């Protein structure tokens, strides 16, 4: 990823999947720009950025169109001043009300449903629309231009995972958005994919009732008989962001120790 510039949205702390991805990008030679949601998170994200040697930290609450647009113009100025383009965008963001991740799905309120969709699915569309123009146009010299946009999803989009509820529906919408975005942006050589990660203990994950049972159960059932390491998710993000992933778009890539192939097991 030497010489590439990547934007990573969704680093809250050192346990965030986005943090592992940003670290891996820097390890592979990329320049990384992080975002934070609000002033509450500013200092933490700035400290993490300096630790992992990210280049810049910018504000962005993805539910506010004005903030998404402001992020794009700050990035545009920065990229222009250095005569470069954006190569990769990582959308590692999700949110749902805590009560919607514990009570029966049928109890989901209209507002809770809309909130989960807005933050966890629509925001990918908003971010893609704002950042795609910052990626390089195809060059006269035959350079393909374009870039790579990716998001994080979970098995609860296609299977019922107890308590994942409204977030599973939002992830189904997110995955469909990946396909439509990939089709729309493909002619500009912009690839759009999702990584479906196995359960990882993060702040968001702790909001799901009985998450530790989900983590332990998954580790027992998965073909590799272990939980997912965020570093392996990050390595797949490197693949997608780099030229190695140049033929891959519109895909959901599972990095979950094989969990998604399993039905149920007869052994303890
Ligand atoms: P995390 O560390 O809590 O990251 C979630 C991030 O989303 C936080 O940085 C949070 O910022 C941000 N966010 C929420 N609302 C936002 C908004 N309106 N504007 C901007 N940012 C906002 O948890 P994570 O597990 O790494 O989650 C990252 C992604 O991976 C999510 O899409 C999640 O669904 C997905 N995923 C997680 C797992 C897992 O088991 N952990 C498995 C598969 C997929 P604040 O902290 O400032 O609110």
């Amino acid at each position: 990823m030497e010489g590439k510039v990547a934007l990573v949205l969704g680093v809250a702390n050192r346990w965030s999947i986005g943090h592992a991805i940003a670290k891996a990008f820097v390890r592979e030679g990329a320049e990384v720009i992080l975002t934070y949601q609000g002033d509450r998170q500013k200092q933490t994200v700035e400290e993490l950025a300096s630790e992992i040697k990210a280049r810049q930290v910018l504000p962005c609450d993805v539910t506010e169109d004005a903030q998404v647009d402001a992020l794009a113009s700050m990035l545009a100025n920065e990229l222009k001043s250095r005569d470069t383009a954006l190569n990769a965008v990582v959308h590692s963001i999700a949110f749902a009300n805590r009560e919607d991740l514990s009570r029966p799905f049928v109890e989901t309120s209209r507002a809770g449903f809309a909130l989960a969709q807005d933050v966890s699915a629509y925001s990918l569309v908003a971010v893609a629309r704002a950042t795609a123009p910052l990626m390089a146009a195809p060059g006269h010299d035959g350079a393909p231009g374009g870039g790579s946009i990716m998001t994080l999803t979970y098995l609860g989009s296609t299977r019922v995972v107890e308590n994942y509820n409204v977030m599973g529906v939002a992830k189904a919408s997110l995955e469909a958005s990946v396909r439509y975005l990939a089709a729309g942006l493909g002619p500009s050589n912009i690839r759009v994919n999702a990584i479906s990660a196995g359960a990882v203990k993060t702040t968001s994950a702790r909001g799901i009732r009985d998450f530790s049972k989900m983590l332990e159960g998954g580790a027992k059932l998965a073909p590799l008989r272990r939980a997912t390491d965020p570093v392996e998710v990050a390595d797949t993000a490197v693949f997608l962001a780099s030229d190695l992933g140049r033929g891959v778009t519109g895909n959901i890539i599972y990095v979950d120790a094989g969990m998604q192939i399993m039905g149920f097991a007869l052994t303890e």
Side-chain angles (χ1 to χ4, degrees):
M1 291 184 72
E2 209 70 50
K4 291 198 190 287
V5 181
L7 173 70
V8 181
L9 301 104
V11 176
N13 50 50
R14 63 187 75 254
W15 294 279
S16 296
I17 294 175
H19 181 257
I21 294 174
K23 252 176 94 169
F25 281 7
V26 173
R27 181 193 75 207
E28 299 298 326
E31 280 189 12
V32 171
I33 299 161
L34 304 181
T35 64
Y36 59 90
Q37 188 192 164
D39 284 342
R40 186 177 50 86
Q41 280 296 105
K42 185 170 191 264
Q43 198 186 338
T44 313
V45 180
E46 281 175 350
E47 281 166 14
L48 290 171
S50 94
E51 238 175 74
I52 65 170
K53 301 193 169 41
R55 183 183 172 92
Q56 208 179 358
V57 178
L58 297 170
C60 186
D61 178 335
V62 293
T63 59
E64 301 282 341
D65 283 336
Q67 289 202 29
V68 177
D69 292 344
L71 171 70
S73 45
M74 282 184 274
L75 277 172
N77 290 338
E78 167 72 12
L79 295 165
K80 197 174 168 200
S81 73
R82 294 167 45 221
D83 196 23
T84 186
L86 186 64
N87 300 102
V89 175
V90 178
H91 170 278
S92 188
I93 287 175
F95 186 77
N97 287 328
R98 209 179 172 99
E99 68 262 26
D100 289 331
L101 302 171
S102 58
R103 63 185 176 186
F105 177 67
V106 72
E107 304 291 337
T108 308
S109 67
R110 192 182 296 272
F113 190 97
L115 175 70
Q117 289 284 336
D118 187 19
V119 182
S120 318
Y122 178 72
S123 63
L124 176 70
V125 182
V127 166
R129 187 171 57 246
T131 56
L134 308 177
M135 293 178 167
H140 295 301
D141 55 356
S148 172
I149 299 175
M150 69 195 81
T151 186
L152 273 297
T153 187
Y154 180 63
L155 185 64
S157 60
T158 51
R159 312 272 177 90
V160 172
V161 175
E162 216 174 318
N163 296 326
Y164 201 64
N165 299 357
V166 73
M167 191 54 81
V169 181
K171 291 301 192 192
S173 164
L174 178 72
E175 292 177 14
S177 303
V178 163
R179 291 186 282 274
Y180 279 95
L181 288 170
L185 297 173
S188 307
N189 200 37
I190 297 175
R191 297 179 289 109
V192 187
N193 292 286
I195 301 175
S196 186
V200 174
K201 199 182 271 185
T202 62
T203 309
S204 294
R206 281 166 202 250
I208 305 162
R209 186 170 160 206
D210 287 336
F211 173 76
S212 49
K213 283 189 192 158
M214 206 166 128
L215 191 67
E216 283 159 30
K220 269 192 203 153
L221 186 61
L224 298 183
R225 296 286 187 275
R226 60 174 175 78
T228 299
D229 182 342
V231 177
E232 23 191 55
V233 177
D235 285 346
T236 299
V238 169
F239 158 72
L240 285 174
S242 73
D243 294 343
L244 293 174
R246 64 193 176 281
V248 181
T249 194
N251 258 284
I252 315 300
I253 301 182
Y254 288 85
V255 182
D256 64 349
M259 181 61 199
Q260 95 284 357
I261 66 167
M262 298 306 291
F264 62 91
L266 297 177
T267 49
E268 274 295 289

